[in-house]
Amino acid sequence: MTQLSPKALETLERWLQDPLVDEATKGELRALENDPKELEERFYRDLEFGTGGLRGVIGAGSNRINRYTVGRATQGFAKYILEQHNGEGSPSVVIAHDSRRFSPEFTLEAALVLAGNGIKTHLFPSLRSTPQLSFSVRDLKATGGIVITASHNPPEYNGYKVYNADGGQLIPDEAEKVISYIQQVDSFDAVKRISQEEAESQGLLHWLGEQEDEAFTDTVASVSVAREEITSSLGRNFKIVFTPLHGTGNIPVRSVLSKIGFTEVFVVPQQEEPDSEFSTVKSPNPEEREAFTLAMELGEELNADLLIGTDPDADRMGAVVRDKDGKFVVLSGNQSGALMIHYYLSRLQEQGKLPTNGAVVKTIVTSEMGAAVASHYGATVFNTLTGFKYIGEKMTQFEASGDYTYLFGYEESYGYLAGNYARDKDAVLAAMLIAEAGAYYKAQGKTLYDVLQELYEQFGYFLESLESRTLKGKDGVAQIQGIMNDWRSNPPQEIAGTAVSEILDYSLGINGLPKENVLKYLLVDGSWFCLRPSGTEPKIKVYFAVRGESLQNAKDKVAALTVQVMGRVDGN
């Protein structure tokens, strides 16, 4: 134990001596007494309440996610909820969870702590998607929401995201309040918790059912701009293979596709059921081609037109289309976003429903291609920091002021939302839109790949790529900060033979945005790259974007940029 830092040692001893910590947890910690490095990792800090909440490796310790760290966070969130409640009726929180290890247990723990603070919880009895949680907070007029998920992280992770009364993840000033309240919870006996029996008998635990599911899928289906055409003919001639990647998307995606008239939808059988180990994939992430291996096999067998995948909490959607040779191509988040903006806005325009004050919102690391398409249809484009909570914040501002009508929001990381029913990205909605776009263009003799090539020819050959480096643990945090410090203090004058025209350091709070540890370098030819530590994983992400004279020219530009920048990031 002497090899531990003073903070880690003190916190470990407190856990081992606290009578409120169960014996199984203490046993897990005692079993690590000959592994000081692991104990240091588990106790050198409290698990950070970062982008929207907690996310970490499951296990005993203050820097792990477990019932105690969930309970402590919920006690802090309870104070925030009671503060936010306007005094009419009773304060309430909606809670949902995905298919990960301990998700049901953490959900119930959060509910019982809220109940201990006199806050009613609306609880889903089994797994539900993150966008449904956002919708239900708004639909039930709750004071806030919680979803237990680690999105597309590996199986050893789980997480805890919190939402405000708008149904959006907490923005920085809200999160700072919750963090300060959590920090005030200095012992486990400060966590107010009652039993499930007490909570139910006092009317503080309410189980939701099919009515709320139906309300969500009906609302998503109402956003369709081709429902009549899909139902009458197009939906019978378009074959879709779908994989929920063992997560929450299975039922809602199939329900919505059925509601708008798609009859040829086939689910990858090996990935249909919830599985906390995500045993058929290396990572349950629809951003990665490997996640679609089984879907592609089924797609070839069935001669499918489109493959769709959703991540475990169904807030990210990936699509696979056929190229001119009939081979499957995984669309990037930027490509899917540009296609959906083009399809959605063009159909609204055809139907005379495109507002004159329309707005499209994207993040600072998202391609400019979608912005070019949106501008073509007369929409104003807004940029936000990374994180859909900022897009949700814009939506609420538009709704309050009436200055703009929200049309579409998206991130390069496969998150999309059309419609005003939620404040978080929705893979269920995105699956519907990309499917109906595919069916609509198929009726014109075109694939989505064909339409993408048309957009390149019209707006320019935009191309993007993403590199990331995983640097785990205490040392990794320091390495990532060191990389950011190096680029900040020694900015390049040129990269890959192209001069740097401007450096945007978002830690200074520029362009009216909150301060965030992000660096973006603009080059004179319109290319850019951006360094950003992940808010949810032990990674530093580096984004690249170019606009070429041809697709090959764009590929060459991206390759040259990547070699130069990553060489420096890796210390070469």
Side-chain angles (χ1 to χ4, degrees):
M1 300 295 185
T2 54
Q3 297 175 57
L4 299 188
S5 64
K7 175 177 170 47
L9 183 60
E10 180 190 348
T11 310
L12 169 61
E13 291 297 340
R14 198 164 67 241
W15 277 58
L16 289 172
Q17 293 167 17
D18 195 320
L20 293 176
V21 176
D22 66 89
E23 283 306 313
T25 298
K26 291 177 180 178
E28 181 182 337
L29 296 173
R30 291 190 186 105
L32 295 170
E33 63 182 353
N34 294 320
D35 191 351
K37 185 176 181 183
E38 176 64 18
L39 286 171
E40 180 71 22
E41 288 292 343
R42 290 184 182 222
F43 286 102
Y44 82 92
R45 66 175 184 178
D46 291 336
L47 187 62
E48 285 189 359
F49 194 94
T51 309
L54 304 171
R55 191 177 298 188
V57 174
I58 300 162
S62 62
N63 190 34
R64 293 289 184 264
I65 192 158
N66 49 64
R67 59 168 290 202
Y68 301 103
T69 51
V70 165
R72 180 172 180 257
T74 305
Q75 183 61 44
F77 187 51
K79 184 172 181 180
Y80 173 81
I81 289 294
L82 292 169
E83 182 185 80
Q84 294 299 303
H85 179 55
N86 60 16
E88 295 177 21
S90 303
S92 64
V93 171
V94 186
I95 311 180
H97 69 80
D98 70 4
S99 56
R100 288 180 176 271
R101 300 175 195 165
F102 296 103
S103 283
E105 291 86 348
F106 294 161
T107 296
L108 188 58
E109 185 69 23
L112 298 180
V113 172
L114 289 169
N117 286 271
I119 299 166
K120 181 177 182 178
T121 57
H122 299 282
L123 207 59
F124 288 102
S126 57
L127 70 171
R128 295 297 190 280
S129 70
T130 288
Q132 182 168 349
L133 180 280
S134 177
F135 165 81
S136 294
V137 168
R138 296 172 62 80
D139 189 50
L140 297 169
K141 297 179 172 55
T143 322
I146 299 170
V147 63
I148 304 296
T149 179
S151 188
H152 58 286
N153 279 49
E156 63 268 24
Y157 283 80
N158 210 331
Y160 173 101
K161 293 196 290 192
V162 294
Y163 290 73
N164 58 27
D166 280 333
Q169 291 187 50
L170 302 189
I171 55 176
D173 61 334
E174 296 171 325
E176 283 166 16
K177 281 186 182 178
V178 174
I179 290 167
S180 71
Y181 296 155
I182 293 170
Q183 289 170 345
Q184 292 169 21
V185 184
D186 55 5
S187 64
F188 294 133
D189 61 8
V191 178
K192 300 175 186 176
R193 182 186 188 277
I194 60 176
S195 70
Q196 182 173 340
E197 293 74 18
E198 289 174 296
E200 289 176 334
S201 68
Q202 294 174 34
L204 293 172
L205 202 57
H206 171 238
W207 295 95
L208 297 170
E210 291 180 9
Q211 185 177 344
E212 195 60 19
D213 295 337
E214 200 71 17
F216 172 66
T217 52
D218 280 346
T219 303
V220 174
S222 72
V223 180
S224 170
V225 286
R227 192 167 184 170
E228 194 174 310
E229 297 149 282
I230 300 295
T231 302
S232 62
S233 61
L234 302 185
R236 295 193 297 274
N237 300 309
F238 193 75
K239 200 170 283 187
I240 301 165
V241 166
F242 168 59
T243 174
L245 296 175
H246 304 294
T248 62
N250 183 33
I251 293 172
V253 168
R254 291 165 69 183
S255 175
V256 167
L257 291 176
S258 176
K259 280 179 189 290
I260 69 164
F262 284 103
T263 59
E264 298 293 292
V265 179
F266 302 87
V267 180
V268 176
Q270 303 97 314
Q271 297 172 330
E272 181 175 356
E273 295 300 319
D275 174 8
S276 62
E277 301 307 309
F278 309 110
S279 51
T280 64
V281 291
K282 289 179 183 175
S283 172
N285 187 353
E287 296 179 64
E288 297 175 9
R289 183 182 177 88
E290 186 273 337
F292 284 101
T293 300
L294 293 173
M296 287 181 185
E297 290 174 7
L298 184 59
E300 289 291 5
E301 182 186 324
L302 297 174
N303 193 29
D305 297 292
L306 175 68
L307 315 181
I308 297 171
T310 56
D311 70 343
D313 63 326
D315 63 353
R316 297 171 192 253
M317 185 281 301
V320 181
V321 300
R322 291 190 184 272
D323 66 12
K324 57 183 177 6
D325 299 319
K327 293 181 180 176
F328 285 127
V329 176
V330 181
L331 295 177
S332 72
N334 287 313
Q335 290 170 331
S336 290
L339 281 167
M340 283 189 276
I341 291 170
H342 171 62
Y343 167 72
Y344 187 57
L345 271 58
S346 67
R347 295 308 315 278
L348 288 174
Q349 188 178 67
E350 286 171 24
Q351 296 164 12
K353 297 177 181 177
L354 187 63
T356 55
N357 66 341
V360 168
V361 190
K362 70 177 194 67
T363 70
I364 59 171
V365 296
T366 300
S367 169
E368 294 302 317
M369 185 174 181
V373 175
S375 298
H376 173 75
Y377 289 103
T380 302
V381 179
F382 292 84
N383 282 286
T384 70
L385 293 176
T386 305
F388 217 90
K389 59 189 174 186
Y390 296 116
I391 296 176
E393 181 186 20
K394 280 288 181 192
M395 294 172 70
T396 297
Q397 289 171 3
F398 297 157
E399 198 171 52
S401 70
D403 293 340
Y404 295 94
T405 300
Y406 173 81
L407 295 171
F408 194 85
Y410 79 116
E411 300 177 298
E412 53 74 41
S413 54
Y414 290 61
Y416 317 94
L417 182 68
N420 216 25
Y421 61 89
R423 289 293 183 272
D424 211 340
K425 50 191 178 285
D426 186 359
V428 183
L429 176 282
M432 179 189 77
L433 270 190
I434 202 82
E436 69 174 62
Y440 175 76
Y441 292 121
K442 184 181 180 182
Q444 299 175 17
K446 294 188 282 193
T447 66
L448 286 171
Y449 185 85
D450 294 332
V451 177
L452 183 62
Q453 305 316 305
E454 291 175 0
L455 294 180
Y456 282 140
E457 289 170 18
Q458 183 175 357
F459 296 103
Y461 289 88
F462 291 86
L463 195 64
E464 300 78 32
S465 70
L466 169 66
E467 293 282 330
S468 63
R469 297 292 184 266
T470 299
L471 300 164
K472 294 183 178 180
K474 187 177 182 180
D475 292 342
V477 172
Q479 282 178 267
I480 290 170
Q481 193 53 52
I483 291 167
M484 295 300 291
N485 290 343
D486 174 51
W487 283 85
R488 194 168 266 123
S489 59
N490 302 294
Q493 302 301 306
E494 59 90 27
I495 289 284
T498 305
V500 174
S501 60
E502 189 176 0
I503 300 170
L504 302 176
D505 186 346
Y506 289 93
S507 70
L508 304 175
I510 60 175
N511 298 335
L513 299 173
K515 294 179 181 180
E516 190 158 294
N517 187 19
V518 178
L519 289 167
K520 189 172 183 178
Y521 297 83
L522 310 183
L523 309 186
V524 292
D525 67 350
S527 304
W528 57 263
F529 66 94
C530 181
L531 287 82
R532 173 183 164 263
S534 171
T536 56
E537 300 172 271
K539 286 182 177 180
I540 183 165
K541 295 185 175 184
V542 187
Y543 304 80
F544 302 91
V546 303
R547 183 178 182 179
E549 297 164 8
S550 67
L551 203 51
Q552 188 57 52
N553 176 245
K555 287 178 180 177
D556 292 343
K557 281 186 169 187
V558 165
L561 258 184
T562 303
V563 167
Q564 291 268 309
V565 174
M566 297 314 296
R568 177 168 166 180
V569 168
D570 294 333
N572 298 334

